[in-house]
Every structure is written in structure tokens, then in C-alpha cells.
Amino acid sequence: MSRRPVARALVLVSGLILLFSAAIVAQVPSPRSVLGFNPTDDKTIADWNQIVDYFSKLDAASRRITVKEIGRSTLGKPLIVAWISSPGNIKNLEKLRRISAKLADPRTVKDTTELESLVKSGKTVVVISCSIHSTEIVASQMSMNLAYELATASDTDTKDILDNTVLLLIPSPNPDGIQIVAEWYRKTLGTKSEGTSPPELYHHYAGHDDNRDWFMLNLKETQAITKLLWREWFPQIVYDVHQQGQTGSRFILPPFYDPSNPRISPAILRDTGAIGYKMAADLQADGVAGVATNSTYDTWWHGGFRSAPYYHNSIGILSEAASANLMTPITVTEQQLKQNRPVRGLTNLLEPATNYPDPWEGGLWRPADIAKIEMTASRSLLQMAAKFRSRYLRQFYDLGKANLEPRTDVPKAFVVTAGQPNAEAVSRFLEILMWQGIEVWRMTNELYLKMEPDQKDFHEMPLGSFIVFTDQPQRNNVLSLFEKQTYPHRLMPNGDAEVPYDVAGWTLPLQMGLDYASVWGIRDLKAAMPTLRRVETVDQARDVMNLEPAGEPFPKLKDPLRTNPRIGLYKSFTGSMDEGWTRLVLDNFQIPYRSVTDRDMRGGNLDLDVLVLPADSENTIHKGLSAERYPDEFSGGMGEDGVANLKKFVESGGKLICFDDSCELVIKRFGLPIRNVLSGLKRSEFYNPGSIVRLNVNTRDPLARGLPDELPAYFTTSSAFEVQSPGVSLSDAKPPETGTRNIRVAARYAEKDALMSGWMLGENYLNGKAALVETDYGKGKIILFAFRPQHRGQTWATFPLIFNVLEK
Ligand SMILES: [Zn+2]
């Protein structure tokens, strides 16, 4: 009885909410009203300019949304982020940001009373980022629908989400790519190229590798978003929305597959799995078939959009929806599903399994299907973020706090020693750490350190060295960047190495060729603390380095090339990431070059001193894009004419430089007496998916000018050479074939213990084999790098080799 008035009041209140929401709906423009079509409908596409335009209209119309430009893309487009929350929260964004920042650093929280008040008044900060891979285009279009729905819906579920979370929605962290893909898609609609990838990298430098840069921060986009996430907003949950191939499962969610990285907190792995399972359960309730968990993707590797958060005590979610042909629907047959290549955790797509309980039977697959799944998954994640708000905030604080506790099983700190010659690499490295919010200190007095856990005596560390303590909120990040990785030895039942999701080792100071060490004890640290200076800014790090009289400057890193060669860099239409990273290194060091296309190659337009072939297979370089799907101007590769002109170029005095895979084409087509000893080996015999390996360098060779006799180099299913003519050594090479003479080996893989960080099966196949070879050919020269001296723009240790070989 007594309930009646209450019920009536509720009706009245919800009536008011309805009226109020109706007013909101009337004001907030729908995507259709702005774009003229419903985003994610078949064969529609909004380019970046339109997406920015739509979000700016939302910003103007909705009190639940505020949109800001957080920086510019590599090609100058605005990088935008939409903050979505209740109008009250949107008014208080700065206050909410500060709460999240405080929880990220428990040292700033006075006591439990303050903690309780922060947990009570804070909101779960969630990031949803769409289509970092631009051909995985649907999420960027879906982002407008998601924002509109959250801006206008009036149900209690939405209200709960808006009240308890602050969503930072990133329509795309690669605006340039959305523009490139949208323009290509429109241009080719109705032609044989409809739905194909554009004939260029969709990120100016990185292409698909734009999601391999989250600890190295080479790109403007990763720099701006890393600042937003880990120096300003400190999200507790990050969701990165991707697409996979067409004929696999319809959607993949966490929990992920093995191996997990031991530096990720178990609590983070559990919560990542719990959110993934909730998303999968909600999709099942919606009747969506073909959703997989515990498959394909692992959490070993550090540098992706969803994996970097683990090292900031945050939950990182990845989803992968099956693709259409960009925005053109496709039909997938049962036969295709049957023949789909098995992936880890998912061998048969037509049979139910615990991690894949409802197989999809095939049929029409449209962009709207992808978008619907991604909308449901996003809402599902936001519900979790809202419902468990205080739990996520408290855990975020607790994990940071646990990282401040002393531990004896990990180093106390790492030092980057003063006075090393490569000052530029050191300041760049410190910059990268600080951009991620890692604290760096500089010694203004000598410190006495123990460099081994059981060492008795203290070792004096020179004045001016940099020290990074591990007892900081980001302990896991510090450890994962400095430590050597030991990837677990994982074999398939047939004895083959099981292929990891990405590379196995990345130890950053090692890749950058720095002199650094782990510290297990510090004498009188309390007394020494006042003599340490916190390096607060990147400029400070640079200044400090510039002040250091750092001995001989590192070869070539600072000076432009001495001999002014005319450099060409081969650029195919297949979009080679290795080409892009090479360009990034040349641009960063201001080395002039021009791009050489297949047209130039076929036409013999090679008025150059030096030509660089970035890593690509013989087939890709030779054949290029298929004429069945691409117009003549983009298809056909270098072809026979290009290969013939390449030979002529070297014979008449040019210098040809090949990275990794591209050596294959040159060895074969030029008849060089050199063999890749790893070619043809089974994955049970040799395997190295991406690790740092030790090179022994012949320092008397001009190619190795100024380098130490041992170098860490990056190997990623790369090569190892044997010079086939017997008796050929460093000094007395015989001419084994006409046109080839004087083969010199400037660097070899170490005779033993070649693996420095990562995973390598069958190391003995590679030990002592040639890694950098130079041979005369006609009047010219050919230089073969068996590895990638510029891998992802990270391998500063081997950059000087590139600069040396580029000299005339
Ligand atoms: Zn992707």
C-alpha cells in the first residue's frame, strides 16, 4: 500500500527524464544528419575530416561530450579525443583527472581517509581506441554511433555508465590512415580494386607497425597518446578495437592465450579475462555466434596499445572482429571456414569448444555486423567499468602501492653510466622513459653499488650517471624495459616452435647499444638521496647530456654523412613497413635520399650512388601487387626489367645495400656465392621470431668504423650467411665467380651465447655465420645485412652500421 506514492513519484521522475532526454535528442545531431548516411552501412565511408566534423558538432551540442585536439598526426591531421560522461562529470573533468593521477601514484595519497575519499569521488577512467590499423576501418565509423548513443540514450544502464565512468573515446589514433583508406575506397568503389588495401603504407612511417611503437615512441601519434594516458589521465581500463582476417572466428576476446608475461600483475590478467568473458557472454546473449576467447593472442610482448597498459597497472583489452572488404560485404562459405588455417587455441572453426561454444556457420558478413558486435562489446565493458568502479580504482592504487614495496628478487635500480660515447642515444632513451612517466634520477656524487645479488663489495659508479629505481609505481614497466627477456620454450606436439604473437625480446637499452647495469644494493642510500637530482623534463636530459664531455662522439649519429652520396630508397606499392622505418631513421638523422619506385626500377631511372632495398621477399619485390586487383600504375613489382637494371646499376659502379629478406633476391639473381644457412630449416630445427643477438664485429673493416667489437643486433626470422667458396676468409677472398670478388665479412653472429634477449631455437645453426657481408660486383659493391639494422626504428646499436655503409 505504502508503495504506491513512491511508485507514482518514480513514474513522475522517469517522465521528467524522458522529457529531458527528448530535448537532448532533439539537439544532438545524429551521424546521418551530418554525414548523409548511417556510418557502417554497406559501401559508405566517412574520412577523417568528416569524423572530426561530426565529433565537433557533438561537442557543441551535447553536455555529455567534450572533444579536444591532443596533438597532430605525422601528416598534420588533428588527433582528437572525445570525453564522454554525465554532464556533472564533464564539468568536473579536471578534478576527476587529478583523482586518477593521485591513485596512479600512491605516494601522493596521505592516508586511508584520503584514499577512501578518492575512491568514493573518483570515476573509472576508460579509453576506447578504434582502428589504429586503418584497413580495420569499421570501428572508426562505429565510434560516431557509439558517441551518439551515449550522448542521447536515457535508459538507466546508460545513466549508470555516464555517472560512474569517464570515457576517453579515440575515433582513431591514426588519422592519416583513415584518410588514406577512405580516399582509396571511394576512388576504387565499383572497380576491380574495390575493398583492397591502399597501395601504400597507411601510416607514413610505420604502416601496420604503428601498433608496435608503444614503448619506443617513435611516432607523433604514440607520443601524444602516451602523454594523454600515462602522464595526464591514467586510465584503469584501455580497450583497443581491431579486426582480423575474413575466414576465422567472428570475434576474439580475452582471456588471451599463453604465454603471459611474468611482469604483468596476476590481478591485471584476471580482470582482463573477466571483462573479456563478460563481453563474450553479452554477445552470446545477443545471439552472436563465432566468438572465441583464449586464442591466438598472448600477453608476452610489451609494445602494443592494449599491452602497454599492463605495465601501468591498468587493464588492457583487445578485440579482433572478422573483416569484410573494407566497407564492402563479403560471403564466407563453410568450405572456407573448414580450410581456415588453425590458430593457437582454435583448430576447428566448425566444432564447438569451451573457448568457442557457438561456431558461426558462414554466410553474408557485413560492416554493420562488425559494428554491432563492437557496440555491444563496448557497452559491456563500460557496464563493468561502472559497476565495479570502486574496485577498479582501489586495485589501481593497490598495484601501484605494491610496486613501492622493497623486493629482493628484482634489481633495486638500473644505472645508465656516465661518460659513454653515444650521448645522443642516452638522451633519447631517457626521453622515452620520461614520456611514459618513469622517474629518472641523476647522480651528482659518486654512488657505491652492488652490481650482482651476491656481490660483497660495492662498486663506484661515476658522477653524472643516471639511475632508475624499481620501487616506483611503474616497477613492472621499468623491469620489462631493462631486463633481458627469456621467452618460454614452447613447442607444438610435432616439435615445431610455437609461433608467438609478436617478438620474443626487446630489452630497450640493449637494442639502443647503451652501457647500463642492474643494481642490487646501494651503500648508504639514505645519505646519498639528497645528492640525487630528479631529471624532470626531456630538455633537462638533453642539456645534461650536452654538458657531458662524452669522449669521442658516437660514429655518425651527430654528423651528416661526410661524402654526400646520392641515396635512393626502394619503395614498392606493397607498403613495406621496413621501408617506412628506414625512411624514419633517415629523416630523423636528416640524411637526404629519394624514393625509388617500381617505375624507376623498370625504366632504369637510377641516377644514384647508393640504393637501399628494405626487407621484403624476392616474390614481393619481383611481382608486387596483383594486376587482377590493382590498376597498372601500381601492379607488377620490379619485374625482370627492374632486376636487370639493378644489376646494371651495380656493375657500372653503384652501391647496393640489402636488408634481411631482400638479400634473397640479390643473392639469387646476381648469382652470388653466398647462402642463407637458415633457409629451408624446419621450425623444429631453427626458430627466432624476434630477439636481440650478439654480433662479433671486425673493427678493422671500414663498414664497422668506430664501432665496438661486439654489438647487439635485431634478428626477426632473419638470415645467416655462409660464403660458399672454400677458403674464403676475412682477408684472402678468392674470386669465386665472374663479377664477384673480394667478399668481406664485417660482422658475424657470435660463436656461442649469441642470444642476448628473447628466444632462439637451434642457435648452433647461426653461430659464427656471417651477418654483414660486402662484395665487389662489377665496378660496384653489394652489402648484405642478414638482420635488420633499423628494426622498427628501435635498434640504435646498429644505426651506425647503416650510416657507415651509406657513405660513397
Ligand atoms: Zn589490427
Side-chain angles (χ1 to χ4, degrees):
M1 273 189 305
S2 62
R3 279 188 187 169
R4 262 202 148 156
V6 177
R8 205 171 285 153
L10 273 179
V11 168
L12 195 69
V13 168
S14 43
L16 279 174
I17 289 173
L18 274 178
L19 271 175
F20 182 58
S21 332
I24 290 175
V25 173
Q27 290 164 3
V28 176
S30 69
R32 188 191 187 92
S33 73
V34 173
L35 299 166
F37 57 84
N38 282 323
T40 77
D41 277 0
D42 291 352
K43 303 204 180 195
T44 66
I45 199 161
D47 63 28
W48 188 251
N49 301 337
Q50 289 171 296
I51 293 173
V52 172
D53 179 48
Y54 179 66
F55 274 94
S56 69
K57 290 196 161 77
L58 276 185
D59 175 59
S62 170
R63 294 190 303 133
R64 297 178 185 177
I65 297 189
T66 185
V67 179
K68 281 187 202 137
E69 181 182 321
I70 60 154
R72 288 270 158 167
S73 68
T74 301
L75 299 180
K77 293 227 169 283
L79 259 172
I80 59 161
V81 176
W83 279 257
I84 305 179
S85 196
S86 70
N89 290 342
I90 289 289
K91 262 192 222 149
N92 276 322
L93 276 185
E94 179 52 23
K95 188 184 142 211
L96 295 173
R97 183 192 72 74
R98 276 199 206 139
I99 293 174
S100 196
K102 279 200 139 215
L103 292 170
D105 187 350
R107 293 165 300 185
T108 62
V109 180
K110 273 199 307 286
D111 49 27
T112 49
T113 317
E114 188 184 8
L115 174 63
E116 290 314 314
S117 120
L118 292 171
V119 169
K120 200 169 162 222
S121 50
K123 309 294 168 191
T124 314
V125 179
V126 179
V127 170
I128 297 181
S129 175
C130 306
S131 306
I132 187 171
H133 292 148
S134 314
T135 47
E136 302 164 17
I137 189 77
V138 174
S140 66
Q141 314 291 302
M142 180 279 299
S143 72
M144 295 180 277
N145 296 340
L146 179 63
Y148 178 67
E149 186 184 284
L150 291 171
T152 53
S154 54
D155 56 287
T156 50
D157 184 58
T158 304
K159 190 177 177 307
D160 197 41
I161 288 171
L162 295 172
D163 285 343
N164 289 292
T165 71
V166 175
L167 169 62
L168 279 60
L169 178 61
I170 304 177
S172 173
N174 180 19
D176 301 337
I178 300 295
Q179 197 66 24
I180 289 168
V181 167
E183 284 173 11
W184 172 252
Y185 183 70
R186 280 184 197 142
K187 194 172 110 183
T188 54
L189 255 183
T191 74
K192 64 180 176 182
S193 306
E194 177 176 331
T196 57
S197 298
E200 60 179 307
L201 289 174
Y202 56 62
H203 179 283
H204 184 65
Y205 288 122
H208 198 76
D209 269 356
D210 62 352
N211 198 26
R212 309 282 186 267
D213 190 48
W214 292 97
F215 59 72
M216 189 66 199
L217 310 177
N218 268 317
L219 309 176
K220 281 191 161 182
E221 295 81 3
T222 41
Q223 288 167 14
I225 293 168
T226 294
K227 178 166 181 275
L228 175 82
L229 265 56
W230 309 121
R231 294 178 69 195
E232 292 170 3
W233 273 89
F234 306 94
Q236 286 78 44
I237 303 174
V238 174
Y239 174 24
D240 191 22
V241 190
H242 285 249
Q243 288 170 224
Q244 53 176 339
Q246 300 181 336
T247 56
S249 63
R250 295 301 91 190
F251 206 51
I252 296 188
L253 286 167
F256 294 109
Y257 200 75
D258 286 330
S260 62
N261 190 304
R263 290 298 173 220
I264 303 173
S265 150
I268 289 295
L269 280 180
R270 286 296 190 197
D271 270 327
T272 296
I275 291 178
Y277 246 53
K278 152 86 166 142
M279 291 159 123
D282 286 352
L283 287 165
Q284 194 61 54
D286 264 10
V288 176
V291 178
T293 60
N294 304 79
S295 167
T296 317
Y297 302 91
D298 59 62
T299 54
W300 179 260
W301 177 64
H302 186 134
F305 201 122
R306 59 90 193 183
S307 39
Y310 303 142
Y311 302 91
H312 296 265
N313 309 318
S314 298
I315 297 162
I317 306 288
L318 162 80
S319 73
E320 298 269 356
S323 294
N325 279 333
L326 297 178
M327 297 304 290
T328 300
I330 57 167
T331 300
V332 180
T333 63
E334 195 181 324
Q335 193 58 20
Q336 285 175 306
L337 293 170
K338 206 181 253 172
Q339 288 168 353
N340 187 63
R341 191 173 49 88
V343 291
R344 295 191 296 176
L346 206 55
T347 48
N348 185 340
L349 283 174
L350 299 171
E351 269 191 12
T354 309
N355 66 333
Y356 186 69
D358 186 9
W360 184 65
E361 289 171 344
L364 188 64
W365 187 248
R366 311 167 73 166
D369 296 325
I370 301 168
K372 183 176 166 249
I373 291 177
E374 290 172 345
M375 287 281 276
T376 304
S378 299
R379 176 167 283 269
S380 183
L381 176 140
L382 288 167
Q383 286 169 345
M384 288 285 273
K387 187 167 176 55
F388 298 108
R389 184 191 61 80
S390 60
R391 177 202 154 107
Y392 290 135
L393 295 183
R394 200 181 298 277
Q395 175 168 284
F396 188 56
Y397 168 90
D398 285 344
L399 291 173
K401 189 149 196 288
N403 284 342
L404 297 168
E405 300 298 324
R407 264 172 69 172
T408 52
D409 61 332
V410 297
K412 281 203 173 337
F414 295 92
V415 274
V416 179
T417 40
Q420 50 184 308
N422 43 355
E424 204 172 340
V426 173
S427 67
R428 173 69 184 158
F429 174 67
L430 298 177
E431 208 170 65
I432 295 166
L433 298 186
M434 285 186 289
W435 279 342
Q436 298 174 53
I438 291 172
E439 292 161 17
V440 177
W441 299 75
R442 181 164 182 256
M443 304 177 194
T444 62
N445 264 341
E446 291 82 1
L447 277 188
Y448 293 85
L449 310 172
K450 280 187 185 170
M451 316 311 279
E452 301 289 338
D454 45 8
Q455 187 183 317
K456 293 245 163 50
D457 304 323
F458 288 91
H459 174 92
E460 184 184 332
M461 191 51 66
L463 194 81
S465 296
F466 294 92
I467 186 157
V468 180
F469 292 102
T470 56
D471 54 350
Q472 52 179 306
Q474 291 191 45
R475 167 145 60 202
N476 302 343
N477 202 14
V478 174
L479 291 172
S480 174
L481 292 176
F482 275 91
E483 283 178 333
K484 293 179 183 182
Q485 279 78 42
T486 306
Y487 188 89
H489 191 66
R490 294 177 61 89
L491 302 180
M492 318 254 284
N494 69 359
D496 280 0
E498 184 198 86
V499 180
Y501 159 62
D502 203 84
V503 301
W506 52 86
T507 315
L508 199 48
L510 197 56
Q511 283 200 69
M512 294 184 75
L514 304 184
D515 185 10
Y516 74 106
S518 32
V519 176
W520 291 84
I522 303 171
R523 196 171 79 190
D524 294 336
L525 179 59
K526 256 198 186 135
M529 260 335 263
T531 71
L532 293 176
R533 294 281 170 273
R534 173 86 186 270
V535 187
E536 301 274 2
T537 69
V538 167
D539 285 342
Q540 263 180 351
R542 284 215 176 109
D543 285 350
V544 165
M545 292 315 301
N546 288 338
L547 287 174
E548 294 287 308
E552 285 297 299
F554 205 51
K556 305 315 312 164
L557 283 185
K558 271 198 168 147
D559 320 318
L561 299 185
R562 297 165 309 165
T563 55
N564 235 353
R566 292 167 302 168
I567 298 169
L569 175 61
Y570 173 65
K571 183 181 190 178
S572 75
F573 292 109
T574 57
S576 159
M577 291 181 275
D578 204 60
E579 182 273 333
W581 288 121
T582 312
R583 236 182 320 110
L584 176 110
V585 173
L586 297 182
D587 284 352
N588 283 356
F589 288 95
Q590 296 169 2
I591 297 171
Y593 64 91
R594 75 173 171 89
S595 292
V596 176
T597 64
D598 285 325
R599 248 180 321 236
D600 297 329
M601 293 300 307
R602 292 191 292 240
N605 176 20
L606 297 174
D607 194 12
L608 301 162
D609 299 309
V610 183
L611 178 63
V612 180
L613 285 188
D616 249 325
S617 71
E618 181 191 1
N619 199 43
T620 306
I621 298 173
H622 189 244
K623 296 208 173 113
L625 295 172
S626 150
E628 271 175 38
R629 297 301 306 274
Y630 286 89
D632 289 350
E633 55 177 315
F634 302 121
S635 62
M638 190 184 281
E640 286 305 320
D641 290 350
V643 174
N645 287 329
L646 192 62
K647 251 187 191 172
K648 257 188 239 161
F649 165 75
V650 188
E651 279 165 350
S652 58
K655 186 196 267 188
L656 175 62
I657 297 165
C658 307
F659 292 155
D660 203 345
D661 305 19
S662 71
C663 296
E664 185 195 4
L665 174 134
V666 173
I667 291 172
K668 239 194 209 166
R669 298 310 192 96
F670 286 51
L672 303 183
I674 292 170
R675 188 174 76 92
N676 174 15
V677 299
L678 305 178
S679 144
L681 289 180
K682 289 189 212 120
R683 279 218 307 269
S684 56
E685 296 168 310
F686 178 85
Y687 189 61
N688 179 343
S691 306
I692 304 172
V693 297
R694 197 185 316 272
L695 294 188
N696 290 332
V697 176
N698 175 10
T699 51
R700 288 163 302 153
D701 192 292
L703 296 189
R705 182 163 40 83
L707 284 165
D709 58 5
E710 195 181 288
L711 268 187
Y714 210 84
F715 188 104
T716 170
T717 49
S718 300
S719 316
F721 297 133
E722 198 169 62
V723 178
Q724 275 179 315
S725 180
V728 172
S729 71
L730 292 184
S731 47
D732 62 3
K734 285 176 199 159
E737 189 183 300
T738 326
T740 315
R741 60 198 157 80
N742 195 17
I743 300 183
R744 297 191 302 276
V745 177
R748 291 179 184 276
Y749 296 108
E751 290 286 350
K752 61 178 178 110
D753 299 332
L755 178 64
M756 299 179 86
S757 180
W759 184 33
M760 183 151 58
L761 190 73
E763 179 181 314
N764 57 313
Y765 284 100
L766 158 155
N767 289 136
K769 295 296 185 293
L772 177 58
V773 176
E774 180 176 29
T775 173
D776 296 342
Y777 190 90
K779 290 182 189 155
K781 276 192 172 73
I782 300 169
I783 292 159
L784 304 173
F785 282 88
F787 58 98
R788 302 202 180 181
Q790 81 309 20
H791 184 248
R792 294 176 179 171
Q794 298 176 3
T795 53
W796 282 59
T798 48
F799 286 176
L801 288 171
I802 306 175
F803 306 141
N804 283 346
V805 301
L806 286 175
E807 296 279 2
K808 245 186 226 173

